[in-house]
Amino acid sequence: NIGTVYWNQHDFKQAAAYSEQALKLNDRQYVTWGNLGEARYYSGAKSEAMPAYRKAAELAAEELKVNPHDTDVLGDLANYYAMLGDRKPALDYLEQALQYGRNDKQVLATAALVHSQLGETGPALEWLGKAVQAGYPKEDLATVPGFGTLSKTPRFQELLAQAQ
């Protein structure tokens, strides 16, 4: 939880340090590995983030066996593979998440994030528009680090103005 506080403050180095501490307590939670990957990536330690993303994807795939329709896990897997630069599994998992959560604002935002991570600005902005229409909150739109490259586009600024 402390790592999440630092994440929300965009202090990614501290978020990574606390994620590492959390993993000493329990190294079987995929979300913690994913959080570590994200924190390392956005703190500038991109090469150090990749093993954490791989471990997160491995554990998330195990979790998916419990409920193969879990849109959170499917979306997280799509994001991890996008961060790893592995387009095919990223889009495969994203397609599954969208199949079960096509109208869910978080799933739609995840679609935007995955496409953004893959360098696909047009599709990312299209999905982000759908997320905003579904009620994706303005404060999240403005603060998600993965939307950083999108935030420089006029379309993103329009969506920010439209968001609640």
PDB file of all heavy atoms in Angstrom, residues 117-148:
ATOM      1  N   GLN A 117       1.257   1.838 -25.456  1.00  0.00           N
ATOM      2  CA  GLN A 117       2.537   1.187 -25.152  1.00  0.00           C
ATOM      3  C   GLN A 117       3.160   0.583 -26.413  1.00  0.00           C
ATOM      4  O   GLN A 117       4.375   0.513 -26.533  1.00  0.00           O
ATOM      5  CB  GLN A 117       2.350   0.072 -24.113  1.00  0.00           C
ATOM      6  CG  GLN A 117       1.614   0.441 -22.868  1.00  0.00           C
ATOM      7  CD  GLN A 117       2.375   1.350 -21.925  1.00  0.00           C
ATOM      8  OE1 GLN A 117       3.449   1.848 -22.240  1.00  0.00           O
ATOM      9  NE2 GLN A 117       1.826   1.590 -20.771  1.00  0.00           N
ATOM     10  N   LEU A 118       2.292   0.136 -27.327  1.00  0.00           N
ATOM     11  CA  LEU A 118       2.778  -0.460 -28.578  1.00  0.00           C
ATOM     12  C   LEU A 118       3.105   0.597 -29.634  1.00  0.00           C
ATOM     13  O   LEU A 118       3.481   0.260 -30.753  1.00  0.00           O
ATOM     14  CB  LEU A 118       1.736  -1.453 -29.117  1.00  0.00           C
ATOM     15  CG  LEU A 118       1.515  -2.701 -28.258  1.00  0.00           C
ATOM     16  CD1 LEU A 118       0.331  -3.508 -28.793  1.00  0.00           C
ATOM     17  CD2 LEU A 118       2.772  -3.559 -28.180  1.00  0.00           C
ATOM     18  N   GLY A 119       2.948   1.865 -29.274  1.00  0.00           N
ATOM     19  CA  GLY A 119       3.274   2.950 -30.199  1.00  0.00           C
ATOM     20  C   GLY A 119       2.210   3.210 -31.244  1.00  0.00           C
ATOM     21  O   GLY A 119       2.494   3.826 -32.275  1.00  0.00           O
ATOM     22  N   GLU A 120       0.990   2.768 -30.983  1.00  0.00           N
ATOM     23  CA  GLU A 120      -0.118   2.913 -31.928  1.00  0.00           C
ATOM     24  C   GLU A 120      -1.042   4.036 -31.454  1.00  0.00           C
ATOM     25  O   GLU A 120      -2.082   3.799 -30.835  1.00  0.00           O
ATOM     26  CB  GLU A 120      -0.861   1.582 -32.047  1.00  0.00           C
ATOM     27  CG  GLU A 120       0.049   0.460 -32.529  1.00  0.00           C
ATOM     28  CD  GLU A 120      -0.563  -0.928 -32.428  1.00  0.00           C
ATOM     29  OE1 GLU A 120      -1.683  -1.081 -31.887  1.00  0.00           O
ATOM     30  OE2 GLU A 120       0.095  -1.877 -32.885  1.00  0.00           O
ATOM     31  N   THR A 121      -0.656   5.262 -31.758  1.00  0.00           N
ATOM     32  CA  THR A 121      -1.346   6.438 -31.242  1.00  0.00           C
ATOM     33  C   THR A 121      -2.800   6.526 -31.701  1.00  0.00           C
ATOM     34  O   THR A 121      -3.686   6.811 -30.889  1.00  0.00           O
ATOM     35  CB  THR A 121      -0.589   7.716 -31.645  1.00  0.00           C
ATOM     36  OG1 THR A 121       0.750   7.621 -31.140  1.00  0.00           O
ATOM     37  CG2 THR A 121      -1.252   8.959 -31.089  1.00  0.00           C
ATOM     38  N   GLY A 122      -3.066   6.282 -32.975  1.00  0.00           N
ATOM     39  CA  GLY A 122      -4.436   6.379 -33.491  1.00  0.00           C
ATOM     40  C   GLY A 122      -5.403   5.461 -32.758  1.00  0.00           C
ATOM     41  O   GLY A 122      -6.405   5.933 -32.204  1.00  0.00           O
ATOM     42  N   PRO A 123      -5.123   4.145 -32.726  1.00  0.00           N
ATOM     43  CA  PRO A 123      -6.013   3.250 -31.987  1.00  0.00           C
ATOM     44  C   PRO A 123      -6.077   3.579 -30.495  1.00  0.00           C
ATOM     45  O   PRO A 123      -7.134   3.460 -29.872  1.00  0.00           O
ATOM     46  CB  PRO A 123      -5.410   1.863 -32.218  1.00  0.00           C
ATOM     47  CG  PRO A 123      -4.639   1.989 -33.486  1.00  0.00           C
ATOM     48  CD  PRO A 123      -4.122   3.402 -33.501  1.00  0.00           C
ATOM     49  N   ALA A 124      -4.965   4.013 -29.929  1.00  0.00           N
ATOM     50  CA  ALA A 124      -4.962   4.360 -28.500  1.00  0.00           C
ATOM     51  C   ALA A 124      -5.944   5.491 -28.226  1.00  0.00           C
ATOM     52  O   ALA A 124      -6.740   5.419 -27.279  1.00  0.00           O
ATOM     53  CB  ALA A 124      -3.555   4.750 -28.051  1.00  0.00           C
ATOM     54  N   LEU A 125      -5.919   6.517 -29.051  1.00  0.00           N
ATOM     55  CA  LEU A 125      -6.828   7.651 -28.856  1.00  0.00           C
ATOM     56  C   LEU A 125      -8.283   7.259 -29.126  1.00  0.00           C
ATOM     57  O   LEU A 125      -9.193   7.752 -28.456  1.00  0.00           O
ATOM     58  CB  LEU A 125      -6.407   8.828 -29.731  1.00  0.00           C
ATOM     59  CG  LEU A 125      -5.120   9.519 -29.281  1.00  0.00           C
ATOM     60  CD1 LEU A 125      -4.597  10.442 -30.368  1.00  0.00           C
ATOM     61  CD2 LEU A 125      -5.335  10.255 -27.965  1.00  0.00           C
ATOM     62  N   GLU A 126      -8.482   6.352 -30.077  1.00  0.00           N
ATOM     63  CA  GLU A 126      -9.833   5.872 -30.359  1.00  0.00           C
ATOM     64  C   GLU A 126     -10.410   5.146 -29.133  1.00  0.00           C
ATOM     65  O   GLU A 126     -11.542   5.403 -28.718  1.00  0.00           O
ATOM     66  CB  GLU A 126      -9.800   4.935 -31.571  1.00  0.00           C
ATOM     67  CG  GLU A 126     -11.164   4.447 -32.000  1.00  0.00           C
ATOM     68  CD  GLU A 126     -11.079   3.537 -33.220  1.00  0.00           C
ATOM     69  OE1 GLU A 126     -10.231   3.777 -34.105  1.00  0.00           O
ATOM     70  OE2 GLU A 126     -11.879   2.587 -33.281  1.00  0.00           O
ATOM     71  N   TRP A 127      -9.625   4.248 -28.542  1.00  0.00           N
ATOM     72  CA  TRP A 127     -10.089   3.526 -27.352  1.00  0.00           C
ATOM     73  C   TRP A 127     -10.239   4.465 -26.168  1.00  0.00           C
ATOM     74  O   TRP A 127     -11.156   4.310 -25.360  1.00  0.00           O
ATOM     75  CB  TRP A 127      -9.151   2.367 -27.018  1.00  0.00           C
ATOM     76  CG  TRP A 127      -9.325   1.197 -27.927  1.00  0.00           C
ATOM     77  CD1 TRP A 127      -8.456   0.763 -28.887  1.00  0.00           C
ATOM     78  CD2 TRP A 127     -10.455   0.331 -27.990  1.00  0.00           C
ATOM     79  NE1 TRP A 127      -8.982  -0.319 -29.541  1.00  0.00           N
ATOM     80  CE2 TRP A 127     -10.208  -0.608 -29.009  1.00  0.00           C
ATOM     81  CE3 TRP A 127     -11.654   0.252 -27.294  1.00  0.00           C
ATOM     82  CZ2 TRP A 127     -11.108  -1.622 -29.338  1.00  0.00           C
ATOM     83  CZ3 TRP A 127     -12.557  -0.754 -27.623  1.00  0.00           C
ATOM     84  CH2 TRP A 127     -12.285  -1.673 -28.633  1.00  0.00           C
ATOM     85  N   LEU A 128      -9.363   5.442 -26.077  1.00  0.00           N
ATOM     86  CA  LEU A 128      -9.465   6.397 -24.982  1.00  0.00           C
ATOM     87  C   LEU A 128     -10.751   7.210 -25.097  1.00  0.00           C
ATOM     88  O   LEU A 128     -11.409   7.489 -24.098  1.00  0.00           O
ATOM     89  CB  LEU A 128      -8.238   7.318 -24.978  1.00  0.00           C
ATOM     90  CG  LEU A 128      -7.923   8.002 -23.666  1.00  0.00           C
ATOM     91  CD1 LEU A 128      -7.842   7.024 -22.507  1.00  0.00           C
ATOM     92  CD2 LEU A 128      -6.619   8.766 -23.788  1.00  0.00           C
ATOM     93  N   GLY A 129     -11.131   7.549 -26.316  1.00  0.00           N
ATOM     94  CA  GLY A 129     -12.402   8.238 -26.533  1.00  0.00           C
ATOM     95  C   GLY A 129     -13.581   7.397 -26.049  1.00  0.00           C
ATOM     96  O   GLY A 129     -14.511   7.906 -25.411  1.00  0.00           O
ATOM     97  N   LYS A 130     -13.541   6.104 -26.317  1.00  0.00           N
ATOM     98  CA  LYS A 130     -14.594   5.195 -25.854  1.00  0.00           C
ATOM     99  C   LYS A 130     -14.602   5.108 -24.326  1.00  0.00           C
ATOM    100  O   LYS A 130     -15.668   5.046 -23.711  1.00  0.00           O
ATOM    101  CB  LYS A 130     -14.413   3.810 -26.472  1.00  0.00           C
ATOM    102  CG  LYS A 130     -14.646   3.799 -27.961  1.00  0.00           C
ATOM    103  CD  LYS A 130     -14.365   2.433 -28.571  1.00  0.00           C
ATOM    104  CE  LYS A 130     -14.529   2.478 -30.084  1.00  0.00           C
ATOM    105  NZ  LYS A 130     -14.301   1.173 -30.713  1.00  0.00           N
ATOM    106  N   ALA A 131     -13.420   5.105 -23.728  1.00  0.00           N
ATOM    107  CA  ALA A 131     -13.329   5.051 -22.266  1.00  0.00           C
ATOM    108  C   ALA A 131     -13.932   6.314 -21.647  1.00  0.00           C
ATOM    109  O   ALA A 131     -14.667   6.246 -20.661  1.00  0.00           O
ATOM    110  CB  ALA A 131     -11.872   4.880 -21.826  1.00  0.00           C
ATOM    111  N   VAL A 132     -13.646   7.457 -22.225  1.00  0.00           N
ATOM    112  CA  VAL A 132     -14.198   8.718 -21.726  1.00  0.00           C
ATOM    113  C   VAL A 132     -15.718   8.708 -21.868  1.00  0.00           C
ATOM    114  O   VAL A 132     -16.446   9.096 -20.938  1.00  0.00           O
ATOM    115  CB  VAL A 132     -13.564   9.926 -22.458  1.00  0.00           C
ATOM    116  CG1 VAL A 132     -14.342  11.207 -22.198  1.00  0.00           C
ATOM    117  CG2 VAL A 132     -12.103  10.087 -22.033  1.00  0.00           C
ATOM    118  N   GLN A 133     -16.226   8.236 -23.001  1.00  0.00           N
ATOM    119  CA  GLN A 133     -17.682   8.149 -23.199  1.00  0.00           C
ATOM    120  C   GLN A 133     -18.330   7.224 -22.176  1.00  0.00           C
ATOM    121  O   GLN A 133     -19.467   7.439 -21.776  1.00  0.00           O
ATOM    122  CB  GLN A 133     -18.008   7.668 -24.612  1.00  0.00           C
ATOM    123  CG  GLN A 133     -17.751   8.704 -25.668  1.00  0.00           C
ATOM    124  CD  GLN A 133     -18.012   8.174 -27.074  1.00  0.00           C
ATOM    125  OE1 GLN A 133     -18.015   6.977 -27.324  1.00  0.00           O
ATOM    126  NE2 GLN A 133     -18.213   9.095 -28.007  1.00  0.00           N
ATOM    127  N   ALA A 134     -17.583   6.197 -21.744  1.00  0.00           N
ATOM    128  CA  ALA A 134     -18.108   5.242 -20.758  1.00  0.00           C
ATOM    129  C   ALA A 134     -17.961   5.758 -19.327  1.00  0.00           C
ATOM    130  O   ALA A 134     -18.387   5.096 -18.385  1.00  0.00           O
ATOM    131  CB  ALA A 134     -17.413   3.892 -20.908  1.00  0.00           C
ATOM    132  N   GLY A 135     -17.331   6.939 -19.157  1.00  0.00           N
ATOM    133  CA  GLY A 135     -17.218   7.534 -17.828  1.00  0.00           C
ATOM    134  C   GLY A 135     -15.856   7.436 -17.182  1.00  0.00           C
ATOM    135  O   GLY A 135     -15.718   7.619 -15.972  1.00  0.00           O
ATOM    136  N   TYR A 136     -14.806   7.181 -17.975  1.00  0.00           N
ATOM    137  CA  TYR A 136     -13.456   7.134 -17.406  1.00  0.00           C
ATOM    138  C   TYR A 136     -13.135   8.501 -16.808  1.00  0.00           C
ATOM    139  O   TYR A 136     -13.307   9.528 -17.466  1.00  0.00           O
ATOM    140  CB  TYR A 136     -12.445   6.759 -18.492  1.00  0.00           C
ATOM    141  CG  TYR A 136     -11.082   6.394 -17.947  1.00  0.00           C
ATOM    142  CD1 TYR A 136     -10.885   5.201 -17.273  1.00  0.00           C
ATOM    143  CD2 TYR A 136     -10.001   7.244 -18.108  1.00  0.00           C
ATOM    144  CE1 TYR A 136      -9.648   4.866 -16.776  1.00  0.00           C
ATOM    145  CE2 TYR A 136      -8.752   6.911 -17.621  1.00  0.00           C
ATOM    146  CZ  TYR A 136      -8.574   5.718 -16.953  1.00  0.00           C
ATOM    147  OH  TYR A 136      -7.338   5.386 -16.449  1.00  0.00           O
ATOM    148  N   PRO A 137     -12.691   8.546 -15.546  1.00  0.00           N
ATOM    149  CA  PRO A 137     -12.545   9.831 -14.849  1.00  0.00           C
ATOM    150  C   PRO A 137     -11.389  10.698 -15.341  1.00  0.00           C
ATOM    151  O   PRO A 137     -10.318  10.204 -15.678  1.00  0.00           O
ATOM    152  CB  PRO A 137     -12.330   9.423 -13.390  1.00  0.00           C
ATOM    153  CG  PRO A 137     -11.978   7.994 -13.394  1.00  0.00           C
ATOM    154  CD  PRO A 137     -12.428   7.406 -14.687  1.00  0.00           C
ATOM    155  N   LYS A 138     -11.646  11.977 -15.350  1.00  0.00           N
ATOM    156  CA  LYS A 138     -10.682  12.979 -15.809  1.00  0.00           C
ATOM    157  C   LYS A 138      -9.371  12.897 -15.027  1.00  0.00           C
ATOM    158  O   LYS A 138      -8.297  12.990 -15.601  1.00  0.00           O
ATOM    159  CB  LYS A 138     -11.296  14.373 -15.660  1.00  0.00           C
ATOM    160  CG  LYS A 138     -10.450  15.493 -16.182  1.00  0.00           C
ATOM    161  CD  LYS A 138     -11.194  16.811 -16.090  1.00  0.00           C
ATOM    162  CE  LYS A 138     -10.502  17.870 -16.897  1.00  0.00           C
ATOM    163  NZ  LYS A 138     -11.343  19.055 -17.069  1.00  0.00           N
ATOM    164  N   GLU A 139      -9.468  12.713 -13.702  1.00  0.00           N
ATOM    165  CA  GLU A 139      -8.243  12.679 -12.893  1.00  0.00           C
ATOM    166  C   GLU A 139      -7.351  11.502 -13.266  1.00  0.00           C
ATOM    167  O   GLU A 139      -6.127  11.616 -13.246  1.00  0.00           O
ATOM    168  CB  GLU A 139      -8.545  12.690 -11.391  1.00  0.00           C
ATOM    169  CG  GLU A 139      -9.425  11.562 -10.894  1.00  0.00           C
ATOM    170  CD  GLU A 139     -10.921  11.845 -10.978  1.00  0.00           C
ATOM    171  OE1 GLU A 139     -11.343  12.883 -11.520  1.00  0.00           O
ATOM    172  OE2 GLU A 139     -11.683  10.989 -10.494  1.00  0.00           O
ATOM    173  N   ASP A 140      -7.942  10.372 -13.652  1.00  0.00           N
ATOM    174  CA  ASP A 140      -7.142   9.238 -14.089  1.00  0.00           C
ATOM    175  C   ASP A 140      -6.544   9.504 -15.458  1.00  0.00           C
ATOM    176  O   ASP A 140      -5.375   9.203 -15.710  1.00  0.00           O
ATOM    177  CB  ASP A 140      -7.972   7.952 -14.121  1.00  0.00           C
ATOM    178  CG  ASP A 140      -8.345   7.457 -12.737  1.00  0.00           C
ATOM    179  OD1 ASP A 140      -7.840   8.013 -11.730  1.00  0.00           O
ATOM    180  OD2 ASP A 140      -9.148   6.516 -12.646  1.00  0.00           O
ATOM    181  N   LEU A 141      -7.334  10.076 -16.328  1.00  0.00           N
ATOM    182  CA  LEU A 141      -6.878  10.394 -17.674  1.00  0.00           C
ATOM    183  C   LEU A 141      -5.649  11.303 -17.621  1.00  0.00           C
ATOM    184  O   LEU A 141      -4.690  11.114 -18.368  1.00  0.00           O
ATOM    185  CB  LEU A 141      -8.016  11.075 -18.438  1.00  0.00           C
ATOM    186  CG  LEU A 141      -7.808  11.382 -19.905  1.00  0.00           C
ATOM    187  CD1 LEU A 141      -7.624  10.115 -20.713  1.00  0.00           C
ATOM    188  CD2 LEU A 141      -9.005  12.160 -20.436  1.00  0.00           C
ATOM    189  N   ALA A 142      -5.676  12.229 -16.710  1.00  0.00           N
ATOM    190  CA  ALA A 142      -4.597  13.213 -16.621  1.00  0.00           C
ATOM    191  C   ALA A 142      -3.353  12.688 -15.917  1.00  0.00           C
ATOM    192  O   ALA A 142      -2.281  13.271 -16.059  1.00  0.00           O
ATOM    193  CB  ALA A 142      -5.101  14.462 -15.896  1.00  0.00           C
ATOM    194  N   THR A 143      -3.469  11.591 -15.160  1.00  0.00           N
ATOM    195  CA  THR A 143      -2.333  11.175 -14.330  1.00  0.00           C
ATOM    196  C   THR A 143      -1.722   9.823 -14.677  1.00  0.00           C
ATOM    197  O   THR A 143      -0.685   9.481 -14.133  1.00  0.00           O
ATOM    198  CB  THR A 143      -2.739  11.150 -12.842  1.00  0.00           C
ATOM    199  OG1 THR A 143      -3.801  10.201 -12.663  1.00  0.00           O
ATOM    200  CG2 THR A 143      -3.156  12.524 -12.352  1.00  0.00           C
ATOM    201  N   VAL A 144      -2.333   9.051 -15.562  1.00  0.00           N
ATOM    202  CA  VAL A 144      -1.776   7.738 -15.909  1.00  0.00           C
ATOM    203  C   VAL A 144      -0.486   7.950 -16.707  1.00  0.00           C
ATOM    204  O   VAL A 144      -0.523   8.523 -17.799  1.00  0.00           O
ATOM    205  CB  VAL A 144      -2.793   6.897 -16.714  1.00  0.00           C
ATOM    206  CG1 VAL A 144      -2.154   5.626 -17.253  1.00  0.00           C
ATOM    207  CG2 VAL A 144      -4.002   6.555 -15.851  1.00  0.00           C
ATOM    208  N   PRO A 145       0.652   7.490 -16.174  1.00  0.00           N
ATOM    209  CA  PRO A 145       1.921   7.710 -16.869  1.00  0.00           C
ATOM    210  C   PRO A 145       1.959   7.115 -18.276  1.00  0.00           C
ATOM    211  O   PRO A 145       2.587   7.670 -19.163  1.00  0.00           O
ATOM    212  CB  PRO A 145       2.959   7.033 -15.976  1.00  0.00           C
ATOM    213  CG  PRO A 145       2.326   6.943 -14.647  1.00  0.00           C
ATOM    214  CD  PRO A 145       0.848   6.822 -14.891  1.00  0.00           C
ATOM    215  N   GLY A 146       1.262   6.017 -18.499  1.00  0.00           N
ATOM    216  CA  GLY A 146       1.255   5.377 -19.809  1.00  0.00           C
ATOM    217  C   GLY A 146       0.594   6.194 -20.895  1.00  0.00           C
ATOM    218  O   GLY A 146       0.760   5.912 -22.083  1.00  0.00           O
ATOM    219  N   PHE A 147      -0.150   7.217 -20.505  1.00  0.00           N
ATOM    220  CA  PHE A 147      -0.774   8.105 -21.484  1.00  0.00           C
ATOM    221  C   PHE A 147       0.114   9.303 -21.792  1.00  0.00           C
ATOM    222  O   PHE A 147      -0.303  10.224 -22.485  1.00  0.00           O
ATOM    223  CB  PHE A 147      -2.143   8.593 -20.990  1.00  0.00           C
ATOM    224  CG  PHE A 147      -3.182   7.513 -20.874  1.00  0.00           C
ATOM    225  CD1 PHE A 147      -4.175   7.603 -19.915  1.00  0.00           C
ATOM    226  CD2 PHE A 147      -3.184   6.414 -21.700  1.00  0.00           C
ATOM    227  CE1 PHE A 147      -5.150   6.628 -19.797  1.00  0.00           C
ATOM    228  CE2 PHE A 147      -4.147   5.419 -21.601  1.00  0.00           C
ATOM    229  CZ  PHE A 147      -5.141   5.527 -20.640  1.00  0.00           C
ATOM    230  N   GLY A 148       1.322   9.305 -21.277  1.00  0.00           N
ATOM    231  CA  GLY A 148       2.229  10.445 -21.424  1.00  0.00           C
ATOM    232  C   GLY A 148       2.442  10.889 -22.855  1.00  0.00           C
ATOM    233  O   GLY A 148       2.367  12.077 -23.164  1.00  0.00           O
TER     234      GLY A 148
END
